[in-house]
Structures are given as structure tokens and as C-alpha cells.
Amino acid sequence: MRITLALLLLAIAGAPARAQEAPRPYTISGDAIVSSLTGQPGDAQRGRAIVASRQVGLCLLCHSGPFPEERFQGTLAPSLSGAGSRWSEGQLRLRIVDAGRLNPDTIMPPYYRTEGLERVAKAFAGKPILSAGQIEDVIAFLVTLKE
């Protein structure tokens, strides 16, 4: 498990695309972030591209899903198929922003949290992995996955 986690973190750390904006404030309500990080809905087509990307979202390192064109999908985390049936938009948002709030032992990286992280390269300190807009795009896509 440690080797797998180390490889995941190495892949994420080496990802060339990283958000350059400082995180926007958000409010956690129970197990969700109900309000959009941007105040706008995301674009599902862009979200699908982020999820499937091996350079941006890196989601398929751990997750599998309805991506028949993508080989070598992950088996470490739940399938993304049916994600829109299992979780609300707000629940998905919190899981992407900072899954560690729900499960401190998760291997899911915090895509929007910048505080309290260890071993972050100076160039990436204070910058989220995905921008607020990218997160909203991913959520727009995931909510369409109803199985």
C-alpha cells in the first residue's frame, strides 16, 4: 500500500498542469460543499476531459469508469460509474476539494486544499492542484454518471 501511495503522490507531484490561482473560500456543511466554488455551473465535457487526462486530473490512476477508450484504469478507489447516483453535487465537491475531511486515511489527494500539506515543491506551495473552475467542470461531469 505504501508503494502504491508513493507512486500516486509522485505522479501527482510530477503533473505538469496545476492551478495557478489561490483557493477561493468555501463553506463545508455536513459532508458537502453545497455552493459552487465559482458561482457558476461547470461544463461536463471539459470535466470528462479532466477526469480522463493523464496530465491534469490523474483520476484514472486510482479510479475506473465509463471510459472505454482509456486503458489501464485504477482499482484502488471506487469506480466513477454511478457517481452521480451515489453522491450529490455538494458531496462530490467536498470529496474533490479535500476528501481527507471525510476520511483522514484516504489516499485521495486534496485537489483544492493548500494548507497542512507535506513535501510540496516550492513552485506549487499555496496553489491547488485544480482550479475552482476545473473542479466545477469535473463535478458537472460526475453528476451525469447515473449508471
Side-chain angles (χ1 to χ4, degrees):
M1 180 68 164
R2 283 186 175 205
I3 292 172
T4 304
L5 179 57
L7 290 174
L8 170 66
L9 294 176
L10 181 61
I12 290 169
R18 245 184 110 98
Q20 296 301 308
E21 68 182 37
R24 298 175 187 195
Y26 55 86
T27 302
I28 298 171
S29 178
D31 67 343
I33 299 172
V34 178
S35 298
S36 166
L37 298 175
T38 63
Q40 302 288 325
D43 178 271
Q45 188 173 9
R46 285 193 310 254
R48 186 188 193 287
I50 291 166
V51 170
S53 172
R54 307 264 181 193
Q55 289 77 40
V56 182
L58 299 165
C59 304
L60 299 183
L61 286 175
C62 295
H63 297 277
S64 62
F67 307 95
E69 74 282 7
E70 295 295 333
R71 295 178 56 197
F72 309 115
Q73 296 182 32
T75 59
L76 295 173
S79 172
L80 298 177
S81 296
S85 296
R86 291 192 302 271
W87 297 293
S88 71
E89 186 178 303
Q91 289 171 319
L92 286 166
R93 189 174 290 110
L94 178 55
R95 281 158 175 77
I96 296 167
V97 165
D98 186 5
R101 294 278 195 148
L102 300 167
N103 176 4
D105 295 325
T106 187
I107 62 170
M108 173 97 166
Y111 279 88
Y112 204 64
R113 179 170 55 98
T114 59
E115 301 298 321
L117 304 174
E118 298 178 17
R119 298 168 36 183
V120 176
K122 287 181 185 178
F124 299 122
K127 298 172 186 158
I129 295 170
L130 295 178
S131 71
Q134 288 172 314
I135 288 174
E136 294 305 321
D137 291 342
V138 169
I139 292 164
F141 169 65
L142 293 176
V143 298
T144 70
L145 301 180
K146 303 288 187 183
E147 275 189 295

